[in-house]
């Protein structure tokens, strides 16, 4: 953690305090613009195709929005006492930046990058191919973001995948699209009658908790 | 202001398997027993109903049953020359918090260590000579033998209803069991679980190579079972939500499903949750422990006097409470002197991922301890001389943990995202599996725990500091075991195969196992151990330190069978000998 990041993070924490409340959209953390960007990103990370819908279409932004508004977003359950020292990779992440801060900063920086690189167009205004190129740059660490561009990409990818495969009660994986894609039966909870039927397809559709 | 409470005969610090086993034995002997548990109360019906537990995000990803680093964590570094930093998010291991401890969200792989494991050092010296062992290895014999522990392994297996196939019944070899296991007095209480496709493929291939596969002994039960206390466990439904989850079927042995129902009937037993023990009070070496100081959610501090103190708070907190309470000489890695924190060791794991084009494996059918294992490269029944390492590994295919957030394998070369990733995941999920090597971990001079000089917990107490890296001996062992594992994998004729070796440095980030052992080790010599062979503190004879903290080094097997056997043996020594004549048992 560099000093510059620390300063930036306290500035952002102040910013979070006045995060937009938009009850009409049901958002708890994101602004509608941020949610639109997350939806667009998720639809490139797990795109719609002949196999089924994209992650953004089945609720990635809602899933991440709710997670960021809760314990996950604020790192409530993690050890967050200072000092934050750099360390080596085997010691695990050492950063005061919470996921909520990373998204707020990262989404803004990503959009600013797009507007500078694509004549004023933001991420959502780009073509799918352009979006893929931006995401690849982000993944490769070629876009500077507080806390690290690559780390931000990894965070969004991890959360998008989590939302796509988590129980639909959390806002993503609507229609159990993620589970249908791969053949995961969800919360069926009882396979005694099929455990020894080796190699046979499982025919029952998935079920969710809620 | 510390509030002084009414004395009890025995106070138990932490209510996991260790605490529950001691609570049953001591209250059964008529003692008033109070268990203090830092986490919440949890029981099957209210906390683990099937309508709620099949939730990968909540339990497997967000770690709902695991201790929260905000409440307690450790600091970590690979070597003494580094600055240890806090484990801010748990990764490599996931210790429990709350009633049942890790015994709620464990897998249930229930092993006995092999006879040779308990005399590892003397056996290695006799067989391979002094120069075979690297000079910085600090392995030692346990001071307790397999034969002495056998009745207690047996008792634990019958308490839980373990499902398995005996391989060695009183010296007679039985087909289908582990031919390398120590002799057991009785068969397993319940038959092996039904076997899904992936472990069956592994077993067939292993047999083809000339190995001896057998079903993983399991605390996920193949059928309903009534234990000796009259407590009834259910049958496993192969739901796939086991490790990191509570069981909704009463089918996974845990303190809740085996012991708690009878403890709750006993007036002389009580359990206080959300109570964190801060220190053990005593009057110095050679005196007695007087009781414990603890705090609850109100922030109030209490002193609980007790005639017996059972420290069963899991490896890290066992060591930390000893250090914070000034019990035993802290280990000094520079001089090699001191005992508390010495000989920390772990588990050296590796794995191989496989994918098939033509086989539908249905990996969602799973449990925690469901699979086939070979023990041919474990223990010391083969000559380690030419191989140049001590120790070994069991190799296994377990049908476990194939829930999709954390497990969506793809063939090598697949991009991490995008259309190609999606197609690969869709194709691979039902057709992929992982096989693993669980290897031993030898204690060495540079692997230890002490108190961190910088970082503190929410009660402003120093965090425990772990200094650990894999010893070259273990990396050599692991490379050998992984090669054997990959050979079996190739014999399964997969479409693709990826070998995940274990390499230094040890990383705190990816999950490996919650098999953290040592630091308050058992032994026959007080200058190199913290507890005697009955888990009794050498310094305070009414203090017993129970748990895997007693292991002088780790065998390749999962620890809980041995933790329980040691605990039950200690309990019997307390109730049959110590209560009659309080004093050192060894
Ligand atoms: C995900 C996972 C999978 C596992 N799978 C297996 C397996 O398949 N096979 C196997 O053999 N083992 C397995 N284990 C390990 C197994 O869970 C442990 O060996 C076992 O639970 C140890 O029991 P214990 O009672 O010694 O410690 P714990 O179960 O950790 O209990 C200690 C208790 O003490 C409490 N405590 C800690 N500090 C304090 C304090 N200061 N004051 C009051 N209370 C305190 C804790 O909250 C906890 O409840 C697994 C563990 C995990 C986490």
């Amino acid at each position: 953690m560099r000093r510059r990041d620390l300063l930036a993070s306290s500035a952002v924490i102040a910013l979070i305090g006045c995060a937009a409340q938009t009850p009409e959209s049901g958002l708890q953390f994101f602004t509608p613009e941020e949610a639109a960007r997350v939806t667009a990103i998720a639809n490139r990370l797990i795109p719609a195709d002949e196999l089924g819908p994209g992650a953004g279409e089945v609720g990635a932004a809602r899933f991440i929005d709710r997670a960021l508004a809760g314990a996950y977003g604020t790192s409530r359950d993690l050890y967050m006492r200072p000092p934050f020292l750099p360390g080596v990779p085997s010691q695990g992440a050492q950063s005061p930046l919470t996921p909520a801060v990373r998204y707020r900063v990262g989404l803004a920086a990503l959009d600013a990058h797009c507007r500078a690189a694509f004549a004023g167009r933001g991420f959502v205004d780009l073509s799918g191919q352009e979006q893929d190129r931006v995401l690849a740059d982000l993944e490769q660490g070629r876009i500077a973001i507080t806390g690290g561009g690559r780390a931000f990409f990894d965070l969004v990818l991890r959360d998008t995948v989590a939302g796509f495969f988590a129980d639909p009660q959390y806002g993503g994986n609507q229609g159990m699209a993620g589970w249908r894609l791969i053949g995961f039966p969800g919360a069926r909870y009882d396979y005694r009658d099929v455990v020894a039927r080796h190699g046979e397809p499982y025919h029952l559709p998935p079920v969710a908790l809620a | 202001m510390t509030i002084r409470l009414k004395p009890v005969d025995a106070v138990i610090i932490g209510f996991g398997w260790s605490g529950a086993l001691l609570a049953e034995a001591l209250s059964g002997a008529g003692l008033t027993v109070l268990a203090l548990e830092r986490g919440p109360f949890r029981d099957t019906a209210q906390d683990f109903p099937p309508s709620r537990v099949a939730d990968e995000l909540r339990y497997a990803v967000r770690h709902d049953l695991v201790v929260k680093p905000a409440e307690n964590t450790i600091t970590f570094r690979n070597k003494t020359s580094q600055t240890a930093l806090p484990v801010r998010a748990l990764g490599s291991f996931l210790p429990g918090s709350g009633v049942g401890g890790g015994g709620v969200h464990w897998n249930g792989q229930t092993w006995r260590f092999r006879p040779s494991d308990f005399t590892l050092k003397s056996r290695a010296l006799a067989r391979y000579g002094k120069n075979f062992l690297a000079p910085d290895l600090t392995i030692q014999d346990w001071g307790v033998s397999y034969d002495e522990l056998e009745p207690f392994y047996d008792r634990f297996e019958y308490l839980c209803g373990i499902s398995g196939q005996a391989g060695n019944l009183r010296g007679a070899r039985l087909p289908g069991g582990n031919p390398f296991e120590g002799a057991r007095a009785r068969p397993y209480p319940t038959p092996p679980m039904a076997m899904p496709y992936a472990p069956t493929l592994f077993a067939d291939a292993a047999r083809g190579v000339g190995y001896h596969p057998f079903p993983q002994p399991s605390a996920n039960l193949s059928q309903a079972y009534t234990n000796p206390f009259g407590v009834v466990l259910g049958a496993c439904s192969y739901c796939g939500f086991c490790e990191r989850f509570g069981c909704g079927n009463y089918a996974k042995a845990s303190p809740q499903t085996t012991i708690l129902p009878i403890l709750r009937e006993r007036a002389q037993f009580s359990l206080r949750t959300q109570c964190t023990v801060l220190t053990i009070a005593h009057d110095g070496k050679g005196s007695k422990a007087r009781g414990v100081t603890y705090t609850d959610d109100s922030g109030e501090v209490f002193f609980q006097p007790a005639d017996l103190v059972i420290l069963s708070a899991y490896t890290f907190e066992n060591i930390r409470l000893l250090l914070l309470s000034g019990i035993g000489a802290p280990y000094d890695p520079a001089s090699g002197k001191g005992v508390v924190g010495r000989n920390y060791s772990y588990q050296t794991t590796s794995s191989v991922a496989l994918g098939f084009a033509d086989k539908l494996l249905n990996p969602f059918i799973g449990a925690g301890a469901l699979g086939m294992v070979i023990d041919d490269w474990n223990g010391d029944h083969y000559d380690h001389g030419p191989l140049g390492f001590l120790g070994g590994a069991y190799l296994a295919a377990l049908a476990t943990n194939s829930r999709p957030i954390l497990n969506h394998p793809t063939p090598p070369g697949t991009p991490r995202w995008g259309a190609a990733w999606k197609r690969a995941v869709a194709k691979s999920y039902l057709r992929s599996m992982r096989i693993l090597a669980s290897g031993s971990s030898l204690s060495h001079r540079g692997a230890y725990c002490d108190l961190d000089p910088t970082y503190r917990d929410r009660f402003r107490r120093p965090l425990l500091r772990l200094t650990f890296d894999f010893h070259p001996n273990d990396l050599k062992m692991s490379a050998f075991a992984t090669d054997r594992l990959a050979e079996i994998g190739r014999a399964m004729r997969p479409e693709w195969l990826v070998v995940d070796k274990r390499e230094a440095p040890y990383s705190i980030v990816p999950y490996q196992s919650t098999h953290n052992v040592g630091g308050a080790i058992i032994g026959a010599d007080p200058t190199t151990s913290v507890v005697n062979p009955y888990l009794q503190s050498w310094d305070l004879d009414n203090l017993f330190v129970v748990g895997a903290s007693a292991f002088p080094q780790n065998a390749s097997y999962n620890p809980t069978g041995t933790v329980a056997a040691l605990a039950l043996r200690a309990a019997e020594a307390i109730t049959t000998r110590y209560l009659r004549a309080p004093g050192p048992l060894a």
Side-chain angles (χ1 to χ4, degrees):
Chain A
M1 186 74 212
R2 287 161 314 195
R3 193 175 156 70
R4 187 154 50 81
D5 292 348
L6 262 179
L7 293 176
S9 78
S10 34
V12 180
I13 286 161
L15 225 151
I16 283 191
C18 54
Q21 296 291 319
T22 50
E24 67 280 9
S25 62
L27 291 171
Q28 297 174 13
F29 173 79
F30 287 140
T31 64
E33 293 72 26
E34 288 170 330
R37 285 171 207 156
V38 170
T39 299
I41 295 171
N43 276 332
R44 297 318 298 170
L45 296 178
I46 308 179
D49 59 10
E50 69 287 355
L51 299 172
E57 293 167 50
V58 295
R62 188 163 10 153
F63 171 84
I64 297 173
D65 176 69
R66 290 183 192 172
L68 293 179
Y72 172 73
T74 58
S75 297
R76 185 194 68 191
D77 296 337
L78 305 188
Y79 186 85
M80 296 299 279
R81 291 169 196 270
F84 288 89
L85 302 171
V88 292
S90 67
Q91 293 177 299
Q94 301 288 331
S95 166
L97 298 180
T98 63
V101 171
R102 284 183 190 277
Y103 271 91
R104 186 121 297 155
V105 174
L107 290 171
L110 186 69
D111 217 54
H113 166 86
C114 293
R115 287 183 199 284
F118 294 94
R121 287 185 296 149
F123 187 84
V124 296
D125 309 318
L126 304 181
S127 72
Q129 262 181 359
E130 289 167 330
Q131 290 177 331
D132 283 354
R133 233 182 306 136
V134 169
L135 290 174
D137 283 344
L138 189 65
E139 182 183 20
Q140 297 310 314
R142 289 192 288 260
I143 300 176
I145 285 181
T146 303
R150 193 186 162 105
F152 179 59
F153 178 87
D154 289 347
L155 179 74
V156 179
L157 178 59
R158 203 176 62 217
D159 289 339
T160 299
V161 170
F164 193 61
F165 289 132
D167 190 273
Q169 67 177 313
Y170 294 105
N173 191 17
Q174 292 308 301
M176 297 178 278
W179 293 350
R180 288 182 205 281
L181 173 74
I182 61 172
F184 180 66
R188 285 243 160 235
Y189 216 70
D190 191 351
Y191 300 112
R192 277 172 297 184
D193 51 347
V194 294
V195 57
R197 301 180 80 102
H198 295 170
E200 292 181 19
Y202 183 76
H203 287 301
L204 296 177
V207 290
L209 286 175
Chain B
M1 250 287 289
T2 301
I3 300 168
R4 202 185 161 86
L5 300 169
K6 224 171 96 217
V8 292
D9 294 332
V11 66
I12 293 179
I13 308 170
F15 195 77
W17 269 126
S18 298
L21 291 168
L22 267 291
E24 191 288 314
L26 300 182
S27 63
L31 303 191
T32 54
V33 175
L34 168 66
L36 297 171
E37 166 55 48
R38 71 178 169 192
F41 185 78
R42 289 196 188 101
D43 209 352
T44 308
Q46 69 191 49
D47 294 292
F48 317 128
S51 58
R52 199 191 305 157
V53 283
D55 185 340
E56 183 182 11
L57 184 75
R58 175 171 173 180
Y59 295 103
V61 180
R62 306 278 194 247
H63 300 170
D64 196 59
L65 301 176
V66 174
V67 62
K68 307 216 174 332
E71 291 168 8
N72 194 2
T73 187
I74 62 166
T75 67
F76 167 72
R77 58 185 175 177
N78 287 117
K79 44 182 190 266
T80 305
S81 59
Q82 295 172 328
T83 301
L85 297 180
V87 178
R88 296 186 179 278
L90 289 180
S92 175
F93 39 78
L94 301 171
S97 183
V99 165
V104 169
H105 65 281
W106 71 320
N107 273 313
Q109 295 174 261
T110 311
W111 290 102
R112 299 173 171 208
F113 285 9
R114 289 215 204 157
S116 60
D117 290 326
F118 296 97
T119 52
L120 184 73
K121 176 148 189 208
S122 53
R123 205 185 143 93
L125 287 176
R127 186 168 181 187
Y128 306 113
K130 205 166 68 173
N131 294 332
F132 186 75
L133 297 179
D136 63 331
L137 289 176
T138 52
I139 57 171
Q140 56 194 60
D141 290 359
W142 290 57
V144 57
S145 70
Y146 174 82
D147 289 343
E148 288 170 314
L149 284 177
E150 201 286 332
F152 303 101
Y153 276 126
D154 176 275
R155 202 178 290 175
F156 184 62
E157 288 163 2
Y158 275 76
L159 175 81
C160 297
I162 302 302
S163 299
Q165 168 62 52
N168 178 349
L169 196 59
R170 296 183 291 274
R173 296 258 178 265
L174 299 186
N178 179 4
F180 305 105
E181 72 176 355
R184 52 179 62 248
R186 291 194 281 177
Y188 285 101
T190 56
M193 303 176 78
M195 219 31 85
Y197 198 14
T200 306
L201 290 171
F202 171 81
D204 289 346
R207 220 173 277 118
V209 182
Y211 297 137
H212 303 84
F214 59 92
Q216 165 69 53
S218 172
N220 324 135
L221 303 198
S222 59
Q223 60 187 43
Y225 175 73
T226 305
N227 81 7
F229 295 130
V231 180
V232 181
L233 289 94
C236 176
S237 66
Y238 306 86
C239 77
F241 294 85
C242 196
E243 184 182 32
R244 306 190 185 190
F245 301 81
C247 178
N249 295 324
Y250 298 80
K252 174 162 67 171
S254 67
Q256 279 87 343
T257 56
T258 57
I259 300 175
L260 197 59
I262 58 144
L263 279 180
R264 295 178 82 172
E265 307 278 299
R266 289 188 187 160
Q268 67 274 34
F269 173 75
S270 50
L271 169 62
R272 281 182 213 144
T273 54
Q274 325 268 167
C275 291
T276 300
V277 172
L278 302 171
T279 50
I280 300 165
H282 62 95
D283 299 313
K285 187 175 167 151
S287 71
K288 304 253 182 206
R290 287 188 277 108
V292 302
T293 302
Y294 74 91
T295 182
D296 67 7
D297 279 352
S298 70
E300 207 86 68
V301 177
F302 303 87
F303 180 67
Q304 175 62 60
D307 292 336
L308 265 175
V309 176
I310 308 296
L311 175 52
S312 50
Y314 194 64
T315 299
F316 295 124
E317 195 70 353
N318 280 0
I319 302 169
R320 190 166 76 130
L321 283 176
L322 290 173
L323 292 171
L324 290 173
S325 309
I327 301 169
Y331 173 65
D332 170 16
S335 68
K337 297 220 161 48
V339 284
V340 182
R342 179 173 170 269
N343 278 27
Y344 173 87
S345 57
Y346 192 46
Q347 202 86 80
T348 318
T349 59
S350 58
S351 66
V352 173
L354 321 167
F356 295 88
D358 53 341
K359 292 186 173 68
L360 215 46
L361 302 176
N362 293 342
F364 49 83
I365 303 174
L370 174 62
M372 294 296 287
V373 189
I374 66 156
D375 223 12
D376 296 69
W377 293 111
N378 214 342
D380 195 37
H381 66 267
Y382 60 100
D383 185 5
H384 286 74
L387 299 173
F389 63 79
L390 197 61
Y394 71 76
L395 313 182
L398 297 171
T400 187
N401 285 336
S402 285
R403 300 164 301 265
I405 300 177
L406 298 182
N407 241 288
H408 43 265
T410 52
T414 306
R416 294 169 71 209
W417 53 278
W421 175 86
K422 188 181 176 190
R423 273 193 303 277
V425 172
K427 174 166 177 245
S428 302
Y429 174 71
L430 296 177
R431 297 172 181 82
S432 310
M433 61 183 286
R434 198 169 269 279
I435 54 183
L436 68 104
S438 173
S440 51
S441 174
L442 301 192
S443 42
H444 57 96
R445 193 158 172 166
Y448 62 96
C449 298
D450 61 1
L451 292 176
D452 191 90
T454 307
Y455 293 96
R456 293 175 177 261
D457 71 8
R458 61 193 167 131
F459 303 118
R460 312 220 49 76
R461 302 179 303 166
L463 295 183
L464 192 73
R465 174 170 67 180
L466 169 65
T467 305
F468 178 73
D469 206 346
F470 296 113
H471 192 276
N473 176 88
D474 294 344
L475 294 170
K476 215 174 195 180
M477 178 282 301
S478 185
F480 177 82
T482 310
D483 285 347
R484 303 290 80 73
L485 184 69
E487 282 165 10
I488 303 175
R490 287 189 198 97
M492 294 167 72
R493 311 187 67 78
E495 185 183 36
W496 55 266
L497 176 150
V498 178
V499 179
D500 283 324
K501 290 197 189 91
R502 183 61 63 200
E503 279 162 345
Y506 165 67
S507 169
I508 208 77
V509 180
Y511 188 79
Q512 290 157 64
S513 81
T514 312
H515 305 166
N516 314 90
V517 315
I521 71 173
I522 193 170
D525 175 356
T527 64
T528 55
S529 59
V530 170
V531 292
N532 70 23
Y534 299 98
L535 304 183
Q536 182 182 36
S537 157
W538 288 113
D539 289 46
L540 308 171
D541 69 44
N542 64 339
L543 169 67
F544 290 78
V545 187
V546 185
S549 53
F551 295 10
Q553 58 271 335
N554 208 2
S556 68
Y557 305 106
N558 311 51
T560 307
T562 302
V563 167
L566 289 171
L568 288 169
R569 184 167 183 266
E572 186 164 282
I574 296 171
T575 55
T576 60
R577 294 174 53 203
Y578 185 84
L579 293 181
R580 239 179 272 151
L585 292 165

